[in-house]
Amino acid sequence: MAVETKEVGIREVPRLDKWIVLSLQHLFAMFGATILVPYLVGLSPAVALLSSGLGTLAYLLVTKGQVPAYLGSSFAFIAPIIAASSLNGPEGAMIGSFLAGLVYGLIALIIKAYGVQSIMRFLPPIVVGPVIMVIGLGLAGVAIDMAMNEPVSGEYSTTHFIVALITLTITVLASMFFKGFFSLVPIMFGIVGGYITALFLGLVDWQPVRDANWFATPDVLVPFVTYVPSFSWEIAFIMVPVAVVTIAEHIGDQMVLSKVVGKDFVKKPGLHRSILGDGVATMIASFIGGPPNTTYGENIGVLAITRVFSVFVIGGAAVLAVIFSFIGKFAALISTIPTAVMGGVSILLFGIIASSGLRMLIDNEINIGLKRNLIISSVILVIGIGGAFIQVRDNIEIAGMALATIVGIILHIVLPEKEVSYGKKAMFESE
């Protein structure tokens, strides 16, 4: 339940007891999605919490404490991280994440120098929308495999599928019928409900929790300490193009956040600062073995409900995330969550991602009946979901989502009548 309180300004500090409760709300709001990403890609959930907290604190510093935004694990990078990890392990994925962070920095410089339209003219809704759909639909197989199959043998399991469906049902009901703050954390309710169901069906082993210490350092991956980083063009082609699309999503989040708070963050402290903050957070995550970070819509929802815009509350949530990452039994408890539970939640989440891409086309009143728009969207969807790739060299290929993004941008540049791809409304309206 949201804490009843008067509106609190960006630089105001709430009374300590309310401060802690309000920060905990933000922690709960981001928790389910933030731990799901590392769970899916084989990274440490504890490190994801650590990188989320540190990344948010860095973001607040870069934006001069003027933007109350919380950063968590990015879903857009799930498939790229899996692909990069299959090539060079998690270490390779971290190199890719660092390169993506550099792209954020480069685009921030371009926006600072030439304005946001210098970037957005290459990313109309007809490109960004279908690519977002590819992100969600491309992961559909992962969600179904986790939901239906026994994780060790890979064989179909009725028990696992029942747990996944119950988890999905609880998540859907929480999304539809819960009110206030509870409506913002349906993932948490789904995971808890699914976990209890799995516990009764004998799918949970609590031994790791019993064996774990209360205090434990997260299993970080630090370059030149735990591994020697090496550059790979193939990983660069996998990870970097995704950053271009997530930057478009970031701009949308900033517009929504500006409307909620009633301040134009695009102008002050500036879109270049918020994008740079996102990039710095992603690079920090890459230095410790966490997934790339992005601003979270769930936490924007918390701001809208509580009307507490204090960056100190956001910073408090970040500090709590860091603290939780060092609680060994907490990390062990996360590791006991059955794959079927995460699969059930993922069915809804990945579908929502795909639907968000469709919503972008609808909101911007894109006419798919026009040949230009039909061609661009069709090609992006089939290349991205079909798994097409270009073999550049023996060890370099441009594949899947990255290839779909690049092809979509090229088609937008070369095909005539560009104006129809922007729709009848501005892609991101600040008013």
Side-chain angles (χ1 to χ4, degrees), residues 304-356:
I305 285 181
T306 63
R307 307 300 296 173
V308 175
F309 307 132
S310 172
V311 292
F312 294 98
V313 170
I314 299 292
V319 171
L320 288 173
V322 172
I323 292 172
F324 271 91
S325 71
F326 283 89
I327 300 176
K329 288 191 180 295
F330 183 72
L333 180 64
I334 296 173
S335 72
T336 65
I337 300 175
T339 56
V341 173
M342 292 305 197
V345 170
S346 298
I347 291 173
L348 179 61
L349 279 177
F350 296 161
I352 288 175
I353 293 171
S355 299
S356 297

Side-chain angles (χ1 to χ4, degrees), residues 359-404:
R359 178 184 173 182
M360 179 173 286
L361 299 178
I362 295 171
D363 286 350
N364 290 280
E365 299 180 14
I366 302 298
N367 186 350
I368 296 294
L370 298 175
K371 289 182 181 179
R372 181 185 214 274
N373 292 338
L374 186 63
I375 289 170
I376 293 175
S377 59
S378 300
V379 171
I380 289 174
L381 288 171
V382 173
I383 287 178
I385 298 173
F389 63 90
I390 294 176
Q391 193 75 44
V392 181
R393 294 181 182 175
D394 289 342
N395 61 339
I396 300 177
E397 66 178 36
I398 307 173
M401 190 196 316
L403 180 60

Side-chain angles (χ1 to χ4, degrees), residues 167-183:
T167 303
L168 174 61
T169 300
I170 294 171
T171 308
V172 170
L173 292 175
S175 299
M176 289 296 298
F177 299 110
F178 286 7
K179 304 297 182 183
F181 172 73
F182 287 164
S183 68

